[in-house]
Amino acid sequence: MRAGVFPDYEAMSAAAADVVARRLGEEHSSVLMLPTGITPLGMYRQLVEMHNSRGLSFADATFFNLDEYIGLAPDHRASYHVYMKENFYGLIDADPARVFVPDGTAPDPEAECERYEAVIRGTGGVDVCVLGIGRNGHIGFNEPGAPFDSRTRVVELSESTRKVNAADFEADRAPERAITVGMATIFEAREVMLLASGTNKAGAVAAAVEGDASESVPASMLKSHPHASLFLDEDAASGLGRGIAG
Ligand code: F6R
């Protein structure tokens, strides 16, 4: 797992956007898997800017989101459907037929997970998976303890994750369950980029990079990925003893 440490959030976001744009330039029909949250907003802004100013096109790409809350309609303001539309898919030339977000209102969530996993498989697999990281080391909504061989499935969110995400919800109550792409599905992406910013991610980043690969720190699975890179700002890297992990 390689790590690039950038002076600040904007520089980290620009570097991540450059890699995604380069991959798209090399292969217009790339399959991308994407996160929500605060961390990727700068990267999305940069990619939208590249679309507007120099015609970077996403029209042939396929997009999968990593996760969605169970019980939230696609038009709920805290849903990841709305987040992606407002911050990315709605601002570029993405083909709606090739944009996939798990359906949190599916009557049979387990069947929805199987369907989602099958659609991913049907594309021939993910070329680039972009991840954020939770303060507890989660990736997607794979909380500590998530089996490394897990697939897209229904998960219970940890209390700490629900607390961090509570502000998006009325009465500060985040949903208890979500659909997340599984650990094995993430690992199979040809390239994985994990973005982290801020001192509140420094502990999780250090545990992922410097500890042994362990299901108790989901992001540590990436240590054995053949093509995984960390994009860190200095604050997120501040817990790393050696600065740059190789
Ligand atoms: C969201 C997701 C999560 C977030 C993580 C960090 O789709 O997959 O794993 O990436 O919780 O969230 P932020 O960026 O808000 O700190």
Side-chain angles (χ1 to χ4, degrees), residues 132-213:
I133 182 171
R135 296 176 203 189
N136 61 5
H138 74 215
I139 51 178
F141 274 141
N142 293 286
E143 300 281 26
F148 283 171
D149 62 359
S150 56
R151 294 286 168 185
T152 303
R153 68 201 186 290
V154 174
V155 290
E156 306 279 330
L157 297 176
S158 72
E159 271 309 311
S160 66
T161 297
R162 293 182 65 219
K163 208 179 268 174
V164 170
N165 294 357
D168 295 335
F169 293 91
E170 273 163 37
D172 274 4
R173 297 291 301 163
E176 291 171 9
R177 297 191 308 154
I179 291 174
T180 186
V181 166
M183 297 292 282
T185 317
I186 291 171
F187 195 83
E188 282 167 7
R190 292 173 192 100
E191 176 170 2
V192 179
M193 302 165 57
L194 187 147
L195 280 48
S197 166
T199 47
N200 60 13
K201 299 295 174 66
V205 166
V209 172
E210 293 177 348
D212 292 335

Side-chain angles (χ1 to χ4, degrees), residues 123-136:
T123 64
V126 174
D127 293 305
V128 182
C129 176
V130 182
L131 300 169
I133 182 171
R135 296 176 203 189
N136 61 5

